[in-house]
Amino acid sequence: MKPRKWMGWRIPAMAFLFTALLLTSCEKDDEIEAPIPPDPNEGVIFLPVVVHVIHEGENIGEGPNLSEERIKRQIEILNEDFRRKKGTRGFNDHPAGGDTKIEFVLAKREPDGAPTNGINRIDTTKVKVPILGYNQNHFAQYAYWDPSQYINIWTTPLPQSTECLVLGISTLPKTDLPGIQPSSWPGPNDAEGILVNWIHFGASNIDCYARYGRTLTHEMGHYLGLLHPWGRKDCVLNDYCEDTPAVDREVYGIKSFMGCAGEMVMIGNYMNWSHDEVMNIFTKDQIARMHYVLENHEGRKALRSSPGLDSN
Ligand SMILES: [Zn+2]
């Protein structure tokens, strides 16, 4: 979860192949070895997402009824961050940083098989549901797709007064990864997914530290098993990633400072509450946790082969 002063979370062998090219000339044959560059998409896991746009009757493109362009750009930003793409804000050359090899795709098929663009708009002036609070269970009453086949994201119609205060919330996975206790798993009747305040979904020009679409990056990190680098703020039980310097307090802002072991805090880590403008790194240990969840979590293993990815 990534409210800033609110409850807590950013509630956020390669093998070079060589081939021999046989060049023929009139005089003689030469063999020249030409390297083929590695395929950047080799081994990438693609995961389907659905964005449930919860609005209050506005026209498309107005207020919380976000434009298709803004939604698509947000998914691009998410992929730039997760893939550490060169030439984007998501790139870093930090020795601990990596390409997660995880990418997100707006769903192409609804659960019933109908074609979709992965954007599901709900007008709350036409659908009434019981008020359950600001949580996944409340918004799932409007729309909720099988979480074993789709990652559900709800953009929520909060008022302008929540700008820069309420960012997003994510559920944690049911996993035996260290640091995620069964007590923090969603219950059997709880909806799983990510809420993002519509104001902070995608890039915008608001005057705020959270305007480059990193709220979703942070929350997706939680959804795939990452914790805040400060953990329990005791320098010991932190995020269970050895390559994120331990820190005993929440990390905000744009400036690094000394952590528990005399190392500078990794201000640019997506799992801090740092400003969007400085975020650009998932570490190798964080990436390993996310892959562990995708490979071992009963409810997430099938995401990569979801019919929702298939446009045929
Ligand atoms: Zn968080």
Side-chain angles (χ1 to χ4, degrees):
M1 170 156 126
K2 190 195 177 187
R4 188 186 185 188
K5 300 169 184 170
W6 195 48
M7 302 175 6
W9 334 352
R10 183 165 177 158
I11 343 206
M14 240 180 280
F16 284 93
L17 300 176
F18 292 86
T19 189
L21 289 181
L22 189 64
L23 297 185
T24 308
S25 71
C26 295
E27 290 79 34
K28 62 173 188 175
D29 291 339
D30 284 328
E31 281 194 359
I32 298 172
E33 288 186 341
I36 295 176
D39 178 358
N41 283 336
E42 188 174 339
V44 173
I45 298 171
F46 293 93
L47 305 177
V49 301
V50 54
V51 179
H52 304 293
V53 179
I54 313 296
H55 65 90
E56 295 170 331
E58 296 88 350
N59 293 322
I60 292 177
E62 291 178 8
N65 198 359
L66 298 162
S67 70
E68 184 173 341
E69 181 188 15
R70 181 155 161 179
I71 294 164
K72 286 183 168 173
R73 177 67 192 127
Q74 169 66 91
I75 303 303
E76 276 179 11
I77 293 169
L78 183 65
N79 288 328
E80 289 166 4
D81 292 351
F82 269 73
R83 294 300 313 279
R84 192 176 65 162
K85 286 192 181 162
K86 279 188 177 164
T88 74
R89 287 187 172 276
F91 181 71
N92 72 76
D93 56 4
H94 193 291
D99 168 358
T100 70
K101 296 273 184 182
I102 299 168
E103 237 177 86
F104 304 89
V105 180
L106 281 165
K108 297 184 169 80
R109 293 272 168 196
E110 296 182 356
D112 65 2
T116 178
N117 62 358
I119 300 170
N120 183 29
R121 299 181 187 278
I122 312 285
D123 180 349
T124 59
T125 65
K126 295 184 176 158
V127 187
K128 291 296 169 201
V129 299
I131 296 170
L132 300 179
Y134 189 71
N135 55 51
Q136 283 79 357
N137 289 343
H138 177 71
F139 291 97
Q141 296 177 103
Y142 295 112
Y144 186 41
W145 294 8
D146 180 352
S148 72
Q149 302 292 317
Y150 302 89
I151 297 177
N152 286 267
I153 299 168
W154 296 268
T155 62
T156 63
L158 291 172
Q160 296 283 353
S161 60
T162 64
E163 183 177 299
C164 311
L165 291 174
V166 180
L167 303 187
I169 311 176
S170 175
T171 52
L172 288 168
K174 296 168 192 158
T175 173
D176 59 357
L177 275 173
I180 301 182
Q181 307 302 326
S183 58
S184 56
W185 293 354
N189 298 315
D190 289 336
E192 297 184 58
I194 296 169
L195 305 184
V196 180
N197 181 350
W198 74 271
I199 299 167
H200 300 288
F201 193 83
S204 70
N205 58 4
I206 55 173
D207 183 16
C208 181
Y209 67 95
R211 63 187 170 115
Y212 292 124
R214 265 56 191 280
T215 296
L216 183 57
T217 306
H218 177 102
E219 300 304 343
M220 193 63 79
H222 283 314
Y223 195 72
L224 298 178
L226 302 189
L227 303 169
H228 296 136
W230 53 88
R232 300 186 190 181
K233 300 190 238 181
D234 58 4
C235 289
V236 181
L237 299 174
N238 49 66
D239 64 351
Y240 300 87
C241 291
E242 292 189 358
D243 53 6
T244 59
V247 55
D248 62 357
R249 71 197 92 142
E250 295 150 356
V251 180
Y252 296 110
I254 58 173
K255 283 194 174 172
S256 188
F257 54 90
M258 202 64 82
C260 299
E263 286 179 276
M264 296 301 281
V265 167
M266 190 181 277
I267 190 77
N269 196 283
Y270 293 117
M271 299 316 293
N272 290 324
W273 294 338
S274 316
H275 291 191
D276 276 16
E277 68 195 71
V278 299
M279 288 180 159
N280 69 353
I281 183 168
F282 282 124
T283 66
K284 293 181 173 69
D285 284 1
Q286 288 178 319
I287 292 167
R289 281 179 71 98
M290 293 194 276
H291 278 264
Y292 181 87
V293 169
L294 290 172
E295 280 152 29
N296 297 285
H297 186 306
E298 281 305 323
R300 306 267 159 87
K301 281 202 268 192
L303 282 170
R304 70 183 71 189
S305 54
S306 166
L309 289 165
D310 185 9
S311 57
N312 298 315

